[in-house]
Amino acid sequence: MKYILCVVLILELSASVAALIKMTCKILETFDLHGLYKKGDIMLGGIFPNLYFIISDFLLNVYLFVLSLDFSGFQSAQTMAYAIDEINRNVSLLPNITLGYRLFDNCIRMPIGLRAAAVLINGQDSIVYDYSCSQAPPIVALVGDAGSAPSIAISRILSLFGMPMVSYFSTCPCLSNKVEFPSFFRTIPSDDFQVKAMVEIIKHFGWTWVGVIGSDDEYGHTALKTFSDVFQNVGCLSFTEIIPKSNDKLKISRIISSIKQSTAKVIIIFAVSRDISFLLNEIILQNITGKQWIASEAWSLGSLAREENFYWLGGTIGIAIRRKDIPNLENFLLQVRPDFDPANNLVIRFWETMFECKFPENSSTFLNSKTCTGSEDLKSLSTAYTDTSQLRSAYNVPQSICSKSCQPGTRKASRKGEPVCCFDCVPCAEGEISTVFDSSECFRCPSDFWSNPERNKCVEKELEFLSFEDSMGIALTSLAALGMCVSVSVLAVFIHFRETAVVKANNSELSYFLLVSLALCFLCSLFFIGEPSHVTCRLRHVAFGISFVLCISCLLVKTVVVIIAFKATLPGNNRIKWFGAVQQRGTVFFFTSVETLICILWLVIAPPVPAKNTNNEHSKIILECYVGSITGFSCVLGYIFFLACICFILAFLSRNLPDSFNEAKFITFSMLIFLAVWIAFIPAYVSSPGKYTIAVEIFAILASSFGLLTAIFTPKCYIILLKPELNNKRSLMGRLINNKNSGGLEHYNMGHQN
């Protein structure tokens, strides 16, 4: 048989090694095994936790060992005995075969559990040096152990002999490895399923920031690793701690410190009740409340689920093993009584520990002074573990998050050196939005849309242009209308008083052209107001260019006429006849035709078109006219500037001519205003945003037009309307008696008349 060969090889190898190193093997420790026994044709073994010692601090450097009970383990052992009895009573299940059992208490100590397993395998209570191994093992299978760590150790031994082991409480996922544990079976799901259930609970309540604590054994370490791997896709761990097996004050204090310092409200514990008891005592001592505990199956229905712990553990959510009432089990448990058979001493030890008494027949040493009667009430044995409610009345679900959820309109920004669940909520930048909670990034709105103030929705951008309805448009329209009315009014005055000396002396025909061109300048500014269209975009700059060229051409011709008239050195000089009215009109027409030709070429090659400007102001769409050809636009403005500069230079050079009827100084002043306005226009135009750019351009048109109108025609209208007694040739000539160049008046008038 394979297992006999294995035992022989192991024993022979041990003996050989001992002989080689010439050392004497001695048993380091002996154990008193307490158990239950019933003879049968087929024997089943079992290892259960029943009695154990709690090691706790009593005084400094002094420890107190307190014997305690594990009700659940004792119930499990008795339940196995009850199940075997029921099978034996049912003749239809195993006819002519009786099942027996031999159950041991492992005292929740690994060495005792291994000793119990060895005894169950060889059927002896002590080490036997019988290498013959002539008999089969006394048991065919073993039920137990109650924990993952002892189950791992025992299963490795049993697998050498191919002996099955069935555990009712070992949940370590590692035991599912059939290569390493080929003969291990269990009636409880592994921790993989428990962890998944816990994570689903945590997801249901929206908890993303939790702490996790595990026992210092294979069960705790494996559960922590499994939970960490699964939970990382859901949330983050605030802390991970290990509960010591003994009441280590330093380690317990460290765990308490982690609990108190953490902002996590939810704490998961993978441990059995006896391990948690040390931690719970410190939690009660420091009055730590307000935590949502999640219990693994190892302690959710254990001894801690008592009413006196409700203040600290109330509201605990626990994972429980699916269970069902077993008929007549309670009556069986209530009928358990001590049996003084040495093979059935487990009940005696349990009885004495539970009721703190001593049977006279028991020779074991105890500190109990009370005598056991054997008739004590066992009701607590059957009711010690009723499915106790831990839920609070009017329970409020706590929040357990490192950072509150980021509202729509914000995005998560990770904090340096902290888990991903800890973040700051940063508002989305202008033009970007987020529409869901906890968005990791903001998304830019389409080009024609912009973010609303809450940054959670893209709205159509506001269309901005200088309209006739807003206050600025109304003001500029009013100024343009005023300028046009003044120009027409002055024209009407000049026509009405066309036979007077002042009108004749100021070249009436050119004055008419000048007033008409100024009226057109005021009128063209209206094309810049309102929503741009293909028509208005073409008209605004063309009308502006032609009107101003016409205006400046008239001023230029008037300046040339003045210069020619008053530069004649001899009376009767006929030079002015070569630049008479026909030549003056032709010159104005020529200068204006050049500008018109430039505008036509511009409109044909690359005309101005309506455009949407989204660059200057991101939250608005500025409707404007794109000039099309920069060269064409530059030529239009450049030609105006060229004529203005020529006019200014000529007027400036003729500024010393007689003042009574000399227009040179007025033209000089008007052109100075014109050039100053348009030079100042350039930086103002560049720096003005949105519709204010157009407003600046309109203001420059109006300001320069008003400057020309005022500088040229105010002195003349003053004489015509307010000083009519001066509006005659004698008054004008009387002021020039002392002027050596008095003959110039005749030449000037001659030029006008021609």
Side-chain angles (χ1 to χ4, degrees), residues 579-712:
F579 198 68
V582 176
Q583 288 79 10
Q584 293 169 20
R585 288 193 294 268
T587 303
V588 172
F589 177 77
F590 173 75
F591 287 147
T592 307
S593 298
V594 173
E595 181 74 352
T596 303
L597 179 61
I598 294 174
C599 291
I600 292 174
L601 292 175
W602 181 19
L603 294 177
V604 171
I605 297 173
V609 292
K612 294 180 179 180
N613 185 350
T614 59
N615 298 323
N616 292 348
E617 291 205 27
H618 300 297
S619 61
K620 299 177 181 178
I621 296 177
I622 302 173
L623 298 181
E624 60 184 14
C625 288
Y626 176 63
V627 296
S629 172
I630 301 297
T631 303
F633 181 62
S634 301
C635 290
V636 169
L637 297 182
Y639 185 67
I640 296 173
F641 183 74
F642 171 74
L643 292 180
C645 290
I646 296 298
C647 184
F648 173 74
I649 293 172
L650 293 178
F652 179 77
L653 294 175
S654 61
R655 68 188 183 282
N656 294 324
L657 295 176
D659 295 335
S660 295
F661 50 90
N662 179 25
E663 289 189 301
K665 64 178 181 180
F666 300 126
I667 294 174
T668 302
F669 183 63
S670 66
M671 295 313 299
L672 188 62
I673 294 175
F674 181 87
L675 292 174
V677 167
W678 286 101
I679 290 174
F681 158 79
I682 296 174
Y685 182 86
V686 172
S687 61
S688 298
K691 63 183 180 181
Y692 299 101
T693 303
I694 302 299
V696 168
E697 189 170 0
I698 296 174
F699 182 79
I701 294 173
L702 296 178
S704 58
S705 300
F706 273 112
L708 295 174
L709 179 62
T710 303
I712 300 297

Side-chain angles (χ1 to χ4, degrees), residues 41 60 85 92 112 122 153 231 238 253 264 279 282 285-286 335 369 393 403 443-444 465 548 568 674 739:
D41 300 326
L60 185 62
D85 288 346
S92 62
I112 298 179
N122 63 30
F231 187 68
S238 175
S253 297
L279 179 62
E282 195 65 24
L285 182 64
Q286 299 197 26
Q335 295 173 4
S369 59
S393 58
S403 299
F443 302 94
R444 181 162 293 278
F465 57 90
F548 268 90
F674 181 87
N739 194 327

Side-chain angles (χ1 to χ4, degrees), residues 407-444:
Q407 300 294 317
T410 62
R411 64 174 178 84
K412 296 193 297 184
S414 301
R415 297 174 184 168
K416 187 176 181 180
E418 297 188 31
V420 294
C421 297
C422 302
F423 50 81
D424 295 318
C425 296
V426 180
C428 292
E430 290 186 350
E432 296 182 347
I433 65 165
S434 63
T435 58
V436 297
F437 287 90
D438 293 328
S439 177
S440 58
E441 59 181 334
C442 298
F443 302 94
R444 181 162 293 278

Side-chain angles (χ1 to χ4, degrees), residues 102-371:
R102 192 173 192 185
L103 314 180
F104 285 124
D105 176 17
N106 66 3
C107 297
I108 315 182
R109 293 183 62 192
M110 180 76 77
I112 298 179
L114 293 175
R115 170 63 183 261
V119 169
L120 290 173
I121 292 173
N122 63 30
Q124 303 294 329
D125 291 345
S126 60
I127 297 178
V128 178
Y129 297 98
D130 181 8
Y131 297 157
S132 61
C133 296
S134 57
Q135 297 181 352
I139 64 170
V140 295
L142 186 146
V143 176
D145 195 309
S148 295
S151 293
I152 291 172
I154 295 174
S155 180
R156 285 192 173 119
I157 297 176
L158 296 181
S159 63
L160 297 175
F161 305 98
M163 181 177 292
M165 177 180 179
V166 181
S167 175
Y168 61 93
F169 210 67
S170 300
T171 58
C172 180
C174 61
L175 290 167
S176 299
N177 186 346
K178 288 302 178 183
V179 175
E180 189 173 358
F181 306 99
S183 61
F184 178 84
F185 305 92
R186 54 186 164 195
T187 60
I188 185 174
S190 75
D191 281 334
D192 287 340
F193 299 96
Q194 177 176 221
V195 166
K196 290 179 182 178
M198 286 183 172
V199 171
E200 288 300 318
I201 292 172
I202 293 171
K203 287 171 59 178
H204 174 76
F205 290 109
W207 296 325
T208 59
W209 185 237
V210 303
V212 61
I213 302 173
S215 56
D216 192 10
D217 51 28
E218 191 74 22
Y219 168 73
H221 288 285
T222 305
L224 290 186
K225 183 180 182 305
T226 304
F227 181 84
S228 300
D229 293 341
V230 177
F231 187 68
Q232 65 181 353
N233 297 323
V234 177
C236 304
L237 297 181
S238 175
F239 62 88
T240 302
E241 295 290 346
I242 299 295
I243 302 177
K245 284 295 183 180
S246 62
N247 194 10
D248 189 322
K249 287 291 186 181
L250 182 61
K251 293 182 179 179
I252 294 295
S253 297
R254 185 184 66 192
I255 298 175
I256 293 296
S257 178
S258 297
I259 294 174
K260 294 173 67 175
Q261 293 177 7
S262 172
T263 57
K265 299 295 183 182
V266 176
I267 302 175
I268 301 99
I269 299 184
F270 294 94
V272 295
S273 298
R274 57 183 173 271
D275 291 341
I276 302 174
S277 60
F278 306 128
L279 179 62
L280 179 60
N281 292 337
E282 195 65 24
I283 290 174
I284 295 173
L285 182 64
Q286 299 197 26
N287 196 27
I288 298 177
T289 58
K291 300 295 183 181
Q292 174 64 60
W293 304 95
I294 298 182
S296 66
E297 94 296 339
W299 69 281
S300 61
L301 297 177
S303 60
L304 300 181
R306 299 193 300 266
E307 185 176 353
E308 56 265 32
N309 295 333
F310 185 83
Y311 181 75
W312 296 275
L313 299 181
T316 297
I317 298 176
I319 304 296
I321 303 170
R322 185 182 296 274
R323 57 182 61 196
K324 187 177 181 180
D325 291 337
I326 300 177
N328 300 320
L329 176 61
E330 182 176 0
N331 293 332
F332 177 83
L333 294 175
L334 292 176
Q335 295 173 4
V336 172
R337 289 294 181 272
D339 186 351
F340 292 96
D341 182 352
N344 286 284
N345 58 356
L346 178 60
V347 178
I348 297 175
R349 294 296 303 271
F350 178 83
W351 201 281
E352 291 180 332
T353 305
M354 179 177 179
F355 297 109
E356 297 181 352
C357 60
K358 180 180 181 300
F359 285 103
E361 297 86 348
N362 188 9
S363 60
S364 60
T365 302
F366 279 95
L367 298 178
N368 302 324
S369 59
K370 185 173 63 174
T371 302

Side-chain angles (χ1 to χ4, degrees), residues 537-556:
C537 284
R538 285 168 169 79
L539 285 178
R540 62 172 56 174
H541 289 103
V542 171
F544 160 73
I546 294 175
S547 299
F548 268 90
V549 167
L550 177 61
C551 177
I552 296 173
S553 297
C554 293
L555 291 176
L556 180 58

